[in-house]
Coordinates of all heavy atoms in Angstrom, one line a residue:
M611 N -16.6 -18.3 -5.1 CA -16.6 -17.0 -4.6 C -16.8 -16.0 -5.7 O -16.3 -16.2 -6.8 CB -15.3 -16.7 -3.9 CG -15.3 -15.4 -3.0 SD -13.7 -14.9 -2.4 CE -13.4 -16.2 -1.1
S612 N -17.5 -14.9 -5.5 CA -17.7 -13.9 -6.6 C -16.4 -13.2 -6.9 O -15.5 -13.2 -6.1 CB -18.7 -12.9 -6.1 OG -18.2 -11.9 -5.3
K613 N -16.3 -12.6 -8.1 CA -15.1 -11.9 -8.5 C -14.8 -10.8 -7.5 O -13.6 -10.6 -7.2 CB -15.3 -11.4 -9.9 CG -15.0 -12.3 -11.0 CD -14.8 -11.6 -12.3 CE -16.2 -11.7 -13.0 NZ -16.1 -11.2 -14.4
L614 N -15.8 -10.0 -7.1 CA -15.6 -8.9 -6.3 C -15.0 -9.3 -4.9 O -14.1 -8.7 -4.4 CB -16.9 -8.1 -6.1 CG -16.8 -6.8 -5.4 CD1 -15.7 -5.8 -6.0 CD2 -18.1 -6.0 -5.3
L615 N -15.7 -10.3 -4.3 CA -15.2 -10.8 -3.0 C -13.8 -11.4 -3.1 O -13.0 -11.2 -2.2 CB -16.2 -11.8 -2.4 CG -17.5 -11.3 -2.0 CD1 -18.4 -12.4 -1.5 CD2 -17.3 -10.2 -0.9
G616 N -13.5 -12.0 -4.3 CA -12.2 -12.6 -4.5 C -11.2 -11.5 -4.6 O -10.1 -11.6 -4.0
A617 N -11.5 -10.4 -5.3 CA -10.6 -9.2 -5.4 C -10.4 -8.6 -4.0 O -9.2 -8.2 -3.7 CB -11.2 -8.2 -6.4
I618 N -11.4 -8.5 -3.2 CA -11.2 -7.9 -1.9 C -10.3 -8.8 -1.0 O -9.4 -8.3 -0.3 CB -12.6 -7.7 -1.2 CG1 -13.4 -6.6 -1.9 CG2 -12.4 -7.4 0.3 CD1 -14.8 -6.5 -1.5
G619 N -10.5 -10.1 -1.2 CA -9.6 -11.1 -0.5 C -8.1 -10.9 -0.9 O -7.2 -10.9 -0.1
I620 N -7.9 -10.7 -2.2 CA -6.5 -10.5 -2.7 C -5.9 -9.2 -2.2 O -4.8 -9.2 -1.8 CB -6.5 -10.5 -4.3 CG1 -6.8 -11.9 -4.8 CG2 -5.2 -10.0 -4.8 CD1 -7.1 -12.0 -6.3
L621 N -6.8 -8.1 -2.1 CA -6.3 -6.9 -1.5 C -5.8 -7.0 -0.1 O -4.8 -6.5 0.3 CB -7.4 -5.8 -1.6 CG -7.7 -5.2 -3.0 CD1 -8.9 -4.3 -2.9 CD2 -6.5 -4.5 -3.6
K622 N -6.6 -7.8 0.7 CA -6.3 -8.0 2.1 C -5.1 -8.9 2.2 O -4.2 -8.6 3.0 CB -7.5 -8.7 2.8 CG -7.3 -9.0 4.2 CD -7.4 -7.8 5.1 CE -7.5 -8.2 6.6 NZ -6.2 -8.5 7.2
Q623 N -5.0 -9.9 1.4 CA -3.8 -10.8 1.4 C -2.6 -10.1 1.1 O -1.5 -10.3 1.7 CB -4.0 -11.9 0.3 CG -4.4 -13.2 0.8 CD -4.7 -14.2 -0.4 OE1 -3.9 -14.1 -1.4 NE2 -5.7 -15.0 -0.3
T624 N -2.6 -9.2 0.1 CA -1.5 -8.4 -0.3 C -1.0 -7.5 0.9 O 0.2 -7.4 1.2 CB -1.8 -7.5 -1.5 OG1 -2.3 -8.4 -2.5 CG2 -0.5 -6.8 -2.1
F625 N -2.0 -6.9 1.5 CA -1.7 -6.0 2.7 C -1.0 -6.8 3.7 O 0.1 -6.5 4.2 CB -3.0 -5.4 3.2 CG -2.7 -4.5 4.4 CD1 -2.4 -3.2 4.3 CD2 -2.9 -5.0 5.7 CE1 -2.2 -2.3 5.4 CE2 -2.7 -4.2 6.8 CZ -2.3 -2.9 6.6
D626 N -1.6 -8.0 4.1 CA -1.1 -8.8 5.2 C 0.3 -9.3 4.8 O 1.2 -9.4 5.7 CB -2.0 -10.0 5.4 CG -3.3 -9.6 6.1 OD1 -3.4 -8.5 6.6 OD2 -4.2 -10.4 6.1
E627 N 0.6 -9.6 3.6 CA 1.9 -10.2 3.1 C 3.0 -9.2 3.4 O 4.0 -9.5 4.0 CB 1.8 -10.5 1.6 CG 3.0 -11.2 1.1 CD 3.0 -11.3 -0.4 OE1 1.9 -11.5 -1.0 OE2 4.1 -11.2 -1.0
Y628 N 2.7 -7.9 3.1 CA 3.8 -6.9 3.3 C 3.8 -6.4 4.7 O 4.8 -6.1 5.3 CB 3.6 -5.7 2.3 CG 3.9 -6.2 0.9 CD1 2.9 -6.6 0.0 CD2 5.3 -6.2 0.4 CE1 3.2 -7.0 -1.3 CE2 5.6 -6.7 -0.8 CZ 4.6 -7.1 -1.7 OH 4.9 -7.5 -2.9
A629 N 2.6 -6.2 5.3 CA 2.5 -5.7 6.7 C 3.2 -6.7 7.7 O 3.6 -6.3 8.7 CB 1.1 -5.5 7.1
G630 N 3.2 -8.0 7.3 CA 3.8 -9.0 8.2 C 5.3 -9.1 8.2 O 5.8 -9.9 8.9
T631 N 6.0 -8.3 7.4 CA 7.4 -8.5 7.3 C 8.2 -7.9 8.4 O 9.3 -8.3 8.6 CB 8.0 -8.1 5.9 OG1 7.7 -6.7 5.7 CG2 7.3 -8.9 4.8
D632 N 7.7 -6.9 9.0 CA 8.5 -6.3 10.2 C 7.5 -5.7 11.2 O 6.4 -5.2 10.8 CB 9.6 -5.4 9.8 CG 9.1 -4.0 9.3 OD1 7.9 -3.7 9.4 OD2 9.9 -3.3 8.7
G633 N 7.9 -5.8 12.4 CA 7.1 -5.1 13.5 C 5.6 -5.4 13.5 O 5.2 -6.6 13.5
D634 N 4.8 -4.4 13.5 CA 3.3 -4.5 13.6 C 2.7 -5.1 12.3 O 2.9 -4.6 11.3 CB 2.8 -3.1 13.9 CG 1.3 -3.1 14.3 OD1 0.6 -4.2 14.0 OD2 0.8 -2.2 14.9
K635 N 2.0 -6.2 12.5 CA 1.5 -6.9 11.4 C 0.2 -6.2 10.9 O -0.4 -6.7 9.8 CB 1.2 -8.4 11.7 CG 2.4 -9.2 11.9 CD 2.1 -10.6 12.3 CE 3.3 -11.6 12.2 NZ 4.6 -11.0 12.7
T636 N -0.3 -5.2 11.6 CA -1.5 -4.6 11.1 C -1.3 -3.3 10.4 O -2.2 -2.6 10.0 CB -2.5 -4.3 12.3 OG1 -1.8 -3.4 13.2 CG2 -2.8 -5.6 13.1
T637 N 0.0 -2.9 10.3 CA 0.3 -1.7 9.6 C 1.5 -1.9 8.7 O 2.3 -2.8 8.8 CB 0.7 -0.5 10.6 OG1 1.8 -1.0 11.4 CG2 -0.5 -0.1 11.5
L638 N 1.6 -1.0 7.7 CA 2.8 -1.0 6.8 C 3.7 0.1 7.2 O 3.4 1.3 7.3 CB 2.3 -0.7 5.3 CG 1.4 -1.8 4.7 CD1 0.6 -1.2 3.5 CD2 2.3 -2.9 4.2
S639 N 5.0 -0.3 7.4 CA 6.0 0.7 7.7 C 6.5 1.3 6.3 O 6.2 0.8 5.3 CB 7.2 0.1 8.4 OG 7.8 -0.9 7.6
K640 N 7.4 2.3 6.4 CA 7.9 2.8 5.2 C 8.7 1.8 4.4 O 8.7 1.7 3.2 CB 8.8 4.1 5.5 CG 9.1 4.9 4.2 CD 10.0 6.1 4.5 CE 9.1 7.3 5.0 NZ 9.9 8.5 5.2
K641 N 9.4 1.0 5.1 CA 10.2 -0.1 4.5 C 9.3 -1.1 3.7 O 9.6 -1.5 2.6 CB 11.0 -0.8 5.6 CG 12.4 -1.4 5.1 CD 13.1 -1.9 6.3 CE 13.6 -3.3 6.1 NZ 14.1 -3.9 7.3
E642 N 8.2 -1.4 4.4 CA 7.2 -2.3 3.8 C 6.6 -1.7 2.6 O 6.3 -2.4 1.6 CB 6.2 -2.8 4.8 CG 6.8 -3.7 5.8 CD 5.9 -3.9 7.1 OE1 5.1 -3.1 7.4 OE2 6.1 -4.9 7.8
I643 N 6.3 -0.4 2.6 CA 5.7 0.3 1.5 C 6.7 0.3 0.3 O 6.3 0.0 -0.8 CB 5.4 1.8 1.9 CG1 4.2 1.8 2.8 CG2 5.1 2.6 0.6 CD1 2.8 1.5 2.2
A644 N 8.0 0.5 0.6 CA 9.0 0.5 -0.5 C 9.0 -0.9 -1.1 O 9.1 -1.0 -2.4 CB 10.3 0.8 0.1
A645 N 8.9 -2.0 -0.3 CA 8.9 -3.3 -0.9 C 7.7 -3.6 -1.7 O 7.8 -4.2 -2.8 CB 9.0 -4.4 0.3
M646 N 6.6 -3.1 -1.2 CA 5.3 -3.3 -2.0 C 5.3 -2.5 -3.3 O 5.0 -3.1 -4.4 CB 4.1 -2.8 -1.1 CG 2.8 -2.9 -1.9 SD 1.4 -2.2 -1.0 CE 1.0 -3.5 0.2
L647 N 5.8 -1.3 -3.3 CA 5.9 -0.5 -4.5 C 6.8 -1.2 -5.5 O 6.4 -1.3 -6.7 CB 6.5 0.9 -4.2 CG 5.6 1.9 -3.6 CD1 6.4 3.2 -3.3 CD2 4.5 2.3 -4.6
K648 N 7.9 -1.6 -5.1 CA 8.9 -2.3 -5.9 C 8.3 -3.5 -6.6 O 8.5 -3.7 -7.8 CB 10.1 -2.7 -5.1 CG 11.4 -2.5 -5.8 CD 12.5 -2.7 -4.7 CE 13.9 -2.9 -5.4 NZ 14.9 -3.0 -4.4
K649 N 7.6 -4.3 -5.9 CA 7.1 -5.6 -6.4 C 5.8 -5.4 -7.1 O 5.5 -6.1 -8.1 CB 7.0 -6.6 -5.3 CG 7.3 -8.0 -5.8 CD 7.5 -9.0 -4.7 CE 7.1 -10.4 -5.1 NZ 6.9 -11.3 -4.0
E650 N 4.9 -4.7 -6.5 CA 3.5 -4.6 -7.0 C 3.3 -3.5 -8.0 O 2.3 -3.6 -8.8 CB 2.5 -4.5 -5.8 CG 2.7 -5.5 -4.7 CD 2.4 -6.9 -5.2 OE1 1.6 -7.1 -6.2 OE2 2.9 -7.9 -4.6
L651 N 4.1 -2.4 -7.9 CA 3.9 -1.3 -8.8 C 5.2 -1.0 -9.5 O 5.8 0.1 -9.3 CB 3.3 -0.1 -8.1 CG 1.9 -0.2 -7.6 CD1 1.6 1.0 -6.7 CD2 0.9 -0.3 -8.7
P652 N 5.8 -1.9 -10.2 CA 7.1 -1.6 -10.8 C 7.0 -0.4 -11.7 O 6.1 -0.2 -12.4 CB 7.4 -2.9 -11.7 CG 6.1 -3.7 -11.7 CD 5.3 -3.2 -10.6
G653 N 8.1 0.5 -11.6 CA 8.1 1.7 -12.4 C 7.5 2.9 -11.7 O 7.6 4.0 -12.1
A654 N 6.9 2.6 -10.5 CA 6.3 3.7 -9.7 C 7.3 4.5 -8.8 O 6.9 5.4 -8.2 CB 5.1 3.2 -8.9
G655 N 8.5 4.0 -8.8 CA 9.5 4.7 -8.1 C 9.9 4.1 -6.8 O 10.5 4.8 -5.9
G656 N 9.7 2.8 -6.6 CA 10.0 2.1 -5.3 C 11.5 2.1 -5.1 O 11.9 1.8 -4.0
D657 N 12.3 2.4 -6.1 CA 13.8 2.3 -5.9 C 14.4 3.6 -5.4 O 15.4 3.6 -4.8 CB 14.5 2.0 -7.2 CG 14.1 0.6 -7.7 OD1 14.0 -0.3 -6.9 OD2 13.9 0.4 -8.9
K658 N 13.6 4.7 -5.6 CA 14.2 6.0 -5.2 C 13.6 6.4 -3.8 O 12.4 6.4 -3.6 CB 13.8 7.0 -6.3 CG 14.5 6.7 -7.6 CD 14.2 7.9 -8.6 CE 14.2 7.3 -10.0 NZ 12.9 7.4 -10.7
K659 N 14.5 6.8 -2.9 CA 14.1 7.2 -1.6 C 13.1 8.3 -1.6 O 12.1 8.3 -0.9 CB 15.3 7.6 -0.8 CG 15.1 7.6 0.7 CD 16.2 8.2 1.5 CE 15.8 8.5 2.9 NZ 14.9 9.6 3.0
E660 N 13.3 9.3 -2.5 CA 12.5 10.5 -2.5 C 11.0 10.1 -2.9 O 10.1 10.6 -2.4 CB 13.0 11.6 -3.5 CG 14.4 12.0 -3.3 CD 15.4 11.0 -3.9 OE1 15.3 10.9 -5.1 OE2 16.2 10.4 -3.2
E661 N 11.0 9.2 -3.9 CA 9.7 8.8 -4.4 C 8.9 8.0 -3.3 O 7.7 8.1 -3.2 CB 9.9 7.9 -5.7 CG 10.6 8.7 -6.8 CD 9.7 8.8 -8.0 OE1 8.5 8.5 -8.0 OE2 10.3 9.3 -9.0
V662 N 9.7 7.1 -2.6 CA 9.1 6.3 -1.6 C 8.6 7.3 -0.5 O 7.4 7.1 0.0 CB 10.1 5.3 -1.0 CG1 9.5 4.6 0.3 CG2 10.5 4.3 -2.0
D663 N 9.4 8.3 -0.1 CA 9.0 9.3 0.9 C 7.7 10.0 0.5 O 6.8 10.2 1.2 CB 10.1 10.4 1.0 CG 11.2 9.8 1.9 OD1 11.1 8.7 2.5 OD2 12.3 10.5 1.9
Q664 N 7.6 10.3 -0.8 CA 6.4 11.0 -1.4 C 5.2 10.1 -1.3 O 4.1 10.6 -0.9 CB 6.7 11.4 -2.8 CG 6.1 12.7 -3.2 CD 6.4 13.1 -4.7 OE1 7.4 12.6 -5.2 NE2 5.6 13.9 -5.3
F665 N 5.4 8.9 -1.7 CA 4.3 7.9 -1.7 C 3.8 7.7 -0.3 O 2.6 7.7 0.0 CB 4.8 6.6 -2.2 CG 4.2 6.2 -3.5 CD1 4.9 6.4 -4.7 CD2 3.0 5.6 -3.6 CE1 4.4 6.1 -5.9 CE2 2.4 5.3 -4.9 CZ 3.1 5.5 -6.0
F666 N 4.8 7.6 0.6 CA 4.4 7.3 2.0 C 3.6 8.5 2.6 O 2.6 8.3 3.3 CB 5.7 7.1 2.8 CG 5.4 6.4 4.2 CD1 5.2 5.1 4.3 CD2 5.3 7.2 5.3 CE1 4.8 4.5 5.5 CE2 5.0 6.7 6.5 CZ 4.8 5.3 6.6
K667 N 4.0 9.7 2.3 CA 3.4 10.9 2.8 C 1.9 10.9 2.3 O 1.0 11.3 3.1 CB 4.1 12.1 2.3 CG 4.4 13.2 3.4 CD 5.2 14.2 2.8 CE 5.2 15.5 3.6 NZ 6.1 16.5 3.0
M668 N 1.7 10.5 1.1 CA 0.4 10.5 0.5 C -0.5 9.4 1.1 O -1.7 9.6 1.4 CB 0.6 10.2 -1.0 CG -0.6 10.4 -1.9 SD 0.0 10.3 -3.6 CE 0.1 8.5 -3.8
L669 N 0.1 8.3 1.4 CA -0.6 7.1 2.0 C -1.0 7.4 3.4 O -2.1 7.0 3.9 CB 0.2 5.8 1.8 CG -0.1 5.0 0.6 CD1 0.4 5.6 -0.7 CD2 0.5 3.6 0.8
D670 N 0.0 7.9 4.2 CA -0.2 8.1 5.6 C -1.1 9.3 5.9 O -0.6 10.3 6.4 CB 1.2 8.2 6.3 CG 1.0 8.2 7.8 OD1 0.0 7.9 8.4 OD2 2.0 8.7 8.4
E671 N -2.4 9.1 5.7 CA -3.3 10.3 5.8 C -3.3 10.9 7.2 O -3.4 12.1 7.3 CB -4.7 9.8 5.5 CG -4.9 9.6 4.0 CD -6.2 10.1 3.5 OE1 -7.2 9.9 4.2 OE2 -6.2 10.7 2.4
D672 N -3.3 10.1 8.3 CA -3.3 10.7 9.6 C -2.0 11.0 10.2 O -1.8 11.5 11.3 CB -4.1 9.8 10.6 CG -3.4 8.4 10.8 OD1 -2.3 8.2 10.3 OD2 -4.0 7.6 11.5
G673 N -0.9 10.8 9.4 CA 0.4 11.2 9.8 C 1.0 10.5 11.0 O 1.9 11.1 11.7
D674 N 0.6 9.3 11.3 CA 1.2 8.6 12.5 C 2.4 7.8 12.2 O 2.9 7.0 13.0 CB 0.1 7.8 13.2 CG -0.4 6.6 12.4 OD1 0.0 6.5 11.2 OD2 -1.1 5.7 12.9
G675 N 2.9 7.9 10.9 CA 4.2 7.2 10.6 C 4.0 5.8 10.1 O 5.0 5.1 9.8
V676 N 2.8 5.3 10.1 CA 2.5 3.9 9.5 C 1.3 4.0 8.7 O 0.4 4.9 8.8 CB 2.4 2.8 10.6 CG1 3.7 2.5 11.2 CG2 1.3 3.2 11.7
V677 N 1.1 3.0 7.8 CA -0.1 3.0 6.9 C -0.9 1.8 7.4 O -0.5 0.6 7.3 CB 0.4 2.8 5.4 CG1 -0.9 2.5 4.5 CG2 1.1 4.1 5.0
N678 N -2.1 2.1 7.8 CA -3.0 1.0 8.3 C -3.9 0.5 7.1 O -3.8 1.1 6.0 CB -3.9 1.5 9.5 CG -4.7 2.7 9.2 OD1 -5.1 2.9 8.0 ND2 -5.0 3.5 10.2
F679 N -4.7 -0.5 7.4 CA -5.5 -1.1 6.3 C -6.4 0.0 5.7 O -6.6 0.0 4.5 CB -6.3 -2.3 6.8 CG -7.0 -3.1 5.7 CD1 -6.2 -3.7 4.8 CD2 -8.3 -3.1 5.7 CE1 -6.8 -4.5 3.8 CE2 -9.0 -3.8 4.6 CZ -8.2 -4.5 3.7
N680 N -7.0 0.8 6.5 CA -7.9 1.9 6.0 C -7.2 2.8 5.0 O -7.7 3.1 4.0 CB -8.4 2.6 7.3 CG -9.5 3.6 6.9 OD1 -10.5 3.2 6.3 ND2 -9.4 4.8 7.3
E681 N -6.0 3.2 5.4 CA -5.3 4.1 4.5 C -4.8 3.4 3.2 O -4.8 4.0 2.1 CB -4.0 4.7 5.3 CG -4.4 5.7 6.4 CD -3.3 5.9 7.3 OE1 -2.4 5.1 7.5 OE2 -3.3 7.0 8.0
Y682 N -4.5 2.1 3.4 CA -4.1 1.3 2.2 C -5.3 1.2 1.2 O -5.1 1.3 0.0 CB -3.7 0.0 2.7 CG -3.6 -1.2 1.7 CD1 -2.6 -1.4 0.9 CD2 -4.7 -2.1 1.7 CE1 -2.5 -2.4 0.0 CE2 -4.6 -3.2 0.8 CZ -3.6 -3.4 0.0 OH -3.6 -4.4 -0.9
I683 N -6.5 1.0 1.7 CA -7.7 0.8 0.9 C -8.0 2.1 0.2 O -8.4 2.1 -1.0 CB -8.9 0.3 1.8 CG1 -8.7 -1.2 2.1 CG2 -10.2 0.6 1.0 CD1 -8.8 -2.1 0.9
I684 N -7.8 3.2 0.8 CA -8.0 4.5 0.2 C -7.1 4.7 -1.0 O -7.4 5.1 -2.0 CB -7.9 5.7 1.2 CG1 -9.0 5.6 2.3 CG2 -7.9 7.1 0.5 CD1 -8.8 6.5 3.5
F685 N -5.8 4.3 -0.7 CA -4.8 4.4 -1.8 C -5.2 3.5 -3.0 O -5.1 3.9 -4.1 CB -3.4 3.9 -1.2 CG -2.4 3.6 -2.2 CD1 -1.9 4.6 -3.0 CD2 -1.9 2.3 -2.4 CE1 -0.9 4.4 -4.0 CE2 -1.0 2.1 -3.4 CZ -0.5 3.1 -4.2
V686 N -5.6 2.2 -2.7 CA -6.0 1.3 -3.7 C -7.2 1.9 -4.6 O -7.2 1.8 -5.8 CB -6.3 -0.1 -3.2 CG1 -6.9 -1.0 -4.3 CG2 -5.1 -0.7 -2.6
A687 N -8.1 2.5 -3.9 CA -9.3 3.0 -4.5 C -8.8 4.2 -5.4 O -9.3 4.3 -6.6 CB -10.3 3.5 -3.5
T688 N -7.9 5.0 -4.9 CA -7.4 6.2 -5.7 C -6.7 5.7 -6.9 O -6.9 6.2 -8.0 CB -6.5 7.0 -4.8 OG1 -7.1 7.4 -3.6 CG2 -6.0 8.3 -5.5
L689 N -5.9 4.6 -6.7 CA -5.1 4.1 -7.8 C -6.1 3.5 -8.9 O -5.9 3.7 -10.1 CB -4.3 2.9 -7.2 CG -3.1 2.4 -8.1 CD1 -2.1 3.5 -8.4 CD2 -2.5 1.2 -7.4
A690 N -7.1 2.8 -8.4 CA -8.1 2.3 -9.4 C -8.8 3.4 -10.2 O -8.9 3.2 -11.4 CB -9.2 1.5 -8.6
L691 N -9.1 4.5 -9.6 CA -9.7 5.6 -10.3 C -8.7 6.2 -11.3 O -9.0 6.5 -12.5 CB -10.1 6.7 -9.4 CG -11.3 6.4 -8.5 CD1 -11.5 7.5 -7.5 CD2 -12.6 6.3 -9.4
L692 N -7.4 6.3 -10.9 CA -6.4 6.9 -11.8 C -6.2 5.9 -13.0 O -6.1 6.4 -14.1 CB -5.1 7.0 -11.0 CG -4.9 8.2 -10.1 CD1 -3.6 8.1 -9.3 CD2 -5.0 9.5 -10.9
L693 N -6.1 4.6 -12.7 CA -5.7 3.7 -13.8 C -6.9 3.5 -14.8 O -6.7 3.0 -15.9 CB -5.3 2.4 -13.2 CG -4.0 2.4 -12.4 CD1 -3.7 1.0 -11.8 CD2 -2.8 2.7 -13.3
T694 N -8.1 3.8 -14.3 CA -9.2 3.5 -15.2 C -9.8 4.9 -15.8 O -10.8 4.9 -16.4 CB -10.4 2.8 -14.5 OG1 -10.8 3.5 -13.4 CG2 -9.9 1.4 -14.1
G695 N -9.1 5.9 -15.4 CA -9.5 7.2 -16.0 C -10.8 7.8 -15.3 O -11.4 8.6 -15.9
G696 N -11.1 7.3 -14.1 CA -12.4 7.7 -13.5 C -12.2 9.0 -12.8 O -11.1 9.6 -12.7
Ligands
CA2082 CA1 -1.4 6.3 9.3

């Protein structure tokens, strides 16, 4: 598999892993987002409720209270730009 396709696979796997821990397996709840932040982005504030709230608000673009795969991908793309100075 190509590197790019492999990376996309990992992004989807990561989403599924956290989205599958409670309720709807196709969306991330605030609890799941907190778990993801804590494990995947250590130091990003996954331990603090206010920081998780802030992150969640940023991720949940349509404001329906859950983060779907589309919103997650937008977040990952934004993060990629930030981390690479783009
Ligand atoms: Ca949403």
Side-chain angles (χ1 to χ4, degrees):
M611 198 191 284
S612 79
K613 272 195 270 188
L614 185 58
L615 289 177
I618 292 168
I620 290 169
L621 287 176
K622 176 76 167 86
Q623 257 175 38
T624 307
F625 179 86
D626 288 346
E627 187 186 324
Y628 291 96
T631 59
D632 71 13
D634 192 338
K635 288 176 171 42
T636 63
T637 57
L638 292 160
S639 64
K640 193 179 276 186
K641 213 172 125 191
E642 289 166 338
I643 288 289
M646 180 186 276
L647 279 178
K648 217 168 161 177
K649 211 168 156 198
E650 307 296 334
L651 294 169
D657 294 319
K658 296 184 206 113
K659 194 189 169 293
E660 309 81 60
E661 300 244 7
V662 173
D663 284 349
Q664 211 179 340
F665 250 98
F666 194 81
K667 226 173 163 179
M668 196 170 75
L669 265 70
D670 183 17
E671 287 220 319
D672 63 5
D674 67 351
V676 286
V677 172
N678 58 30
F679 188 66
N680 190 53
E681 289 166 335
Y682 162 82
I683 284 296
I684 293 168
F685 165 67
V686 172
T688 307
L689 195 63
L691 289 172
L692 284 173
L693 293 176
T694 58

